[in-house]
Amino acid sequence: MSRLTIAIPTFRRPEDLKRAISGVLGQAAEQAGGEIVSDVEVLVIDNDAQCSGRKAALAAAADAGVAVRASADEPTAGDVSVRYVVEERPGVAAVRNRALDETTERDLLIFIDDDEEPEPGWLAALVGLQASTGCQAVAGPVIPVYEVEPEEWVRQGEFFVRKTWPTGTVRPVAASNCLLLDLGFVRRKGLRFDEAFGATGGEDTLFTRRLSAAGGVIRWCDEARVRDHVPASRLTRPWILRRQRSHAATSVRVELALAGGGAQPAIRARAAAGGLVRIVVGGLRTACGTLIGDPRHAAKGARLLARGRGILAASTGGGVHREYDH
């Protein structure tokens, strides 16, 4: 049986964190001591030096009747526990690396974000697919749940809608907001999250691309669904388009990081050309959509335009927003 840790990185979202922990603990007891999982540890990694998540973590554990474990304690089969640590180095990559450092004696690691909530069957689906296929990673869908009803422009643009695939599909890359990792493989290949991406995001894209390049298999599990609670502050056009620009720029940075030095000029040239094309096409589609009153064309055009701006800026070393910079 596998020793499983579920890591929840957090930064100043105590109410969201408590909901995430409670949702995870509700499924952990069903798996611990079963045929696949020996014990389940929920590891909360707080990126706030003021420990703003501690109270929420302890409260969620108390509500579930689950023990809070110290690092020196060794869990036994059937145990479900919560552990809280603080990572003072800012940035999401540092937090994810802390999760790797805290799980050197564990077999499986699952990441879920602090503003997410697992749907029923999430944990069983993740560990079941990994056990049945022996793959090195499993990723699942993230479904947006809006705090307030978004405007039609947001819905038509599908800014928070992510692609899905049939269960078992092999993917070359995955996000880390719903991701299971085979820690034995990760350790053997010496994989780490690149902390140059800590403030901007994209560290998970680079990590999973490197995992695939090292021979690891990432499989999609469409039944392992989590709900992403989207606050009203993220439903504004400026926030959405800024993130589109930044994500597009970060994708170029990932390609540069993966490429050798000799290939980088060609990547930058392709990015500049591709960015310009997207800007032109996106600008025309936005204008047409606005002119005829079609929010779908206006939103899709604005998305393409924003991504083009990010890609073009990244070709010269700019374009990213430091979203996770304290």
Side-chain angles (χ1 to χ4, degrees):
M1 293 190 294
S2 297
R3 296 162 294 179
L4 169 65
T5 293
I6 303 172
I8 308 179
T10 189
F11 180 71
R12 296 181 182 173
R13 289 175 177 165
E15 294 303 317
D16 287 346
L17 174 63
K18 185 177 180 182
R19 179 181 59 213
I21 297 172
S22 298
V24 168
L25 288 176
Q27 300 187 31
E30 300 172 359
Q31 299 301 313
E35 295 182 357
I36 299 174
V37 175
S38 170
D39 66 275
V40 180
E41 170 193 66
V42 177
L43 175 64
V44 178
I45 309 173
D46 198 341
N47 206 205
D48 182 9
Q50 303 303 313
C51 305
S52 58
R54 183 188 297 275
K55 185 176 179 180
L58 297 180
D63 290 346
V66 169
V68 177
R69 189 169 71 84
S71 297
D73 297 339
E74 184 65 28
T76 58
D79 281 354
V80 176
S81 58
V82 172
R83 189 153 60 94
Y84 175 88
V85 299
V86 176
E87 176 52 63
E88 295 189 5
R89 291 179 301 150
V92 65
V95 175
R96 298 201 189 283
N97 281 333
R98 178 66 179 271
L100 297 180
D101 294 337
E102 292 284 341
T103 53
T104 56
E105 302 300 321
R106 311 291 285 173
D107 302 307
L108 300 175
L109 173 63
I110 295 175
F111 282 111
I112 182 173
D113 285 354
D114 61 356
D115 56 355
E116 294 176 347
E117 180 182 16
E119 291 192 356
W122 163 79
L123 183 56
L126 283 177
V127 299
L129 184 61
Q130 196 280 330
S132 65
T133 64
C135 61
Q136 286 68 52
V138 181
V142 179
I143 312 302
V145 177
Y146 303 111
E147 181 183 40
V148 298
E149 183 65 22
E151 63 170 306
E152 190 64 16
W153 182 88
V154 175
R155 285 198 176 277
Q156 292 294 334
E158 299 182 324
F159 296 102
F160 297 93
V161 177
R162 299 167 173 88
K163 290 183 179 179
T164 63
W165 297 267
T167 294
T169 301
V170 175
R171 297 290 303 142
V173 65
S176 58
N177 48 3
C178 180
L179 179 68
L180 177 149
L181 295 172
D182 174 353
L183 286 173
F185 181 85
V186 170
R187 286 191 288 265
R188 287 194 300 274
K189 299 300 182 179
L191 297 173
R192 302 281 289 179
F193 291 91
D194 191 334
E195 297 192 18
F197 290 76
T200 63
E203 82 297 336
D204 50 356
T205 300
L206 182 55
F207 180 93
T208 52
R209 288 277 300 273
R210 285 174 169 163
L211 183 146
S212 295
V217 175
I218 306 170
R219 292 192 182 275
W220 183 260
C221 183
D222 209 46
E223 294 77 26
R225 295 160 53 101
V226 298
R227 302 170 189 162
D228 176 21
H229 290 267
V230 183
S233 60
R234 294 189 175 190
L235 295 173
T236 66
R237 295 192 188 195
W239 190 95
I240 288 170
L241 294 178
R242 182 182 68 192
R243 171 168 273 203
Q244 290 295 318
R245 288 196 303 272
S246 185
H247 280 192
T250 298
S251 69
V252 177
R253 292 180 64 218
V254 168
E255 294 297 334
L256 291 169
L258 290 169
Q264 289 189 357
I267 292 172
R268 293 186 186 277
R270 286 198 302 271
L276 285 171
V277 170
R278 287 170 174 82
I279 289 170
V280 172
V281 175
L284 290 172
R285 188 174 183 182
T286 302
C288 290
T290 302
L291 184 64
I292 65 176
D294 187 330
R296 181 175 181 273
H297 279 296
K300 294 285 189 179
R303 178 177 186 162
L304 186 61
L305 173 59
R307 293 187 65 82
R309 290 176 59 192
I311 291 171
L312 177 61
S315 69
T316 58
V320 294
H321 172 63
R322 298 176 66 84
E323 183 176 351
Y324 304 102
D325 193 344
H326 297 181

